[in-house]
């Protein structure tokens, strides 16, 4: 059970919108869906070299109050500016 004081991060939930750009080509943009208070925990992080480039990945767990409109098609933006793909939503 999480306490209200644990939810100290303001998290922006965004949804993907597809609309034609000025040339009529399909363009994807992210639009604000909701802003929620949440708790962010870092689970793991890795760095590796591939094709002479450093690739870094981090895995986070984000906890918020229940919302029935969250799914894997959305993404979360943290106050630090980090953008997280939502991989799964659990009750």
């Amino acid at each position: 059970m999480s306490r209200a004081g644990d939810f100290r991060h303001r998290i922006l939930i965004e949804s993907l919108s597809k609309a034609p750009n000025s040339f009529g080509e399909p363009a994807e943009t992210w639009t604000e869906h909701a802003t929620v208070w949440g708790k962010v925990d870092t689970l793991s992080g890795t760095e590796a070299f591939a094709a002479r480039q450093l690739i870094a990945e981090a895995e986070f767990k984000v906890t918020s109050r229940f919302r029935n409109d969250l799914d894997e098609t959305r993404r979360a933006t943290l106050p630090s500016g980090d953008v997280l793909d939502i991989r799964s939503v659990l009750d």
Side-chain angles (χ1 to χ4, degrees):
M1 176 67 79
S2 295
R3 298 173 312 182
D6 292 337
F7 300 135
R8 62 180 181 271
H9 301 282
R10 200 73 172 139
I11 301 166
L12 174 64
I13 306 298
E14 297 174 306
S15 57
L16 184 61
S17 300
K18 296 180 182 181
N21 63 14
S22 59
F23 297 108
E25 301 168 331
E28 297 180 345
T29 58
W30 289 93
T31 57
E32 184 174 335
H33 177 73
T35 303
V36 298
W37 288 101
K39 177 182 175 184
V40 180
D41 294 314
T42 304
L43 299 179
S44 66
T46 60
E47 289 183 341
F49 277 104
R52 294 195 212 180
Q53 293 182 351
L54 179 64
I55 299 174
E57 291 186 2
E59 193 171 314
F60 296 90
K61 176 182 176 184
V62 178
T63 306
S64 70
R65 298 284 181 217
F66 176 79
R67 294 183 61 98
N68 61 359
D69 58 349
L70 289 182
D71 58 31
E72 293 82 7
T73 63
R74 307 201 191 289
R75 72 180 189 181
T77 302
L78 303 180
S80 63
D82 292 326
V83 177
L84 309 178
D85 292 326
I86 298 176
R87 303 276 183 191
S88 65
V89 178
L90 306 172
D91 288 344

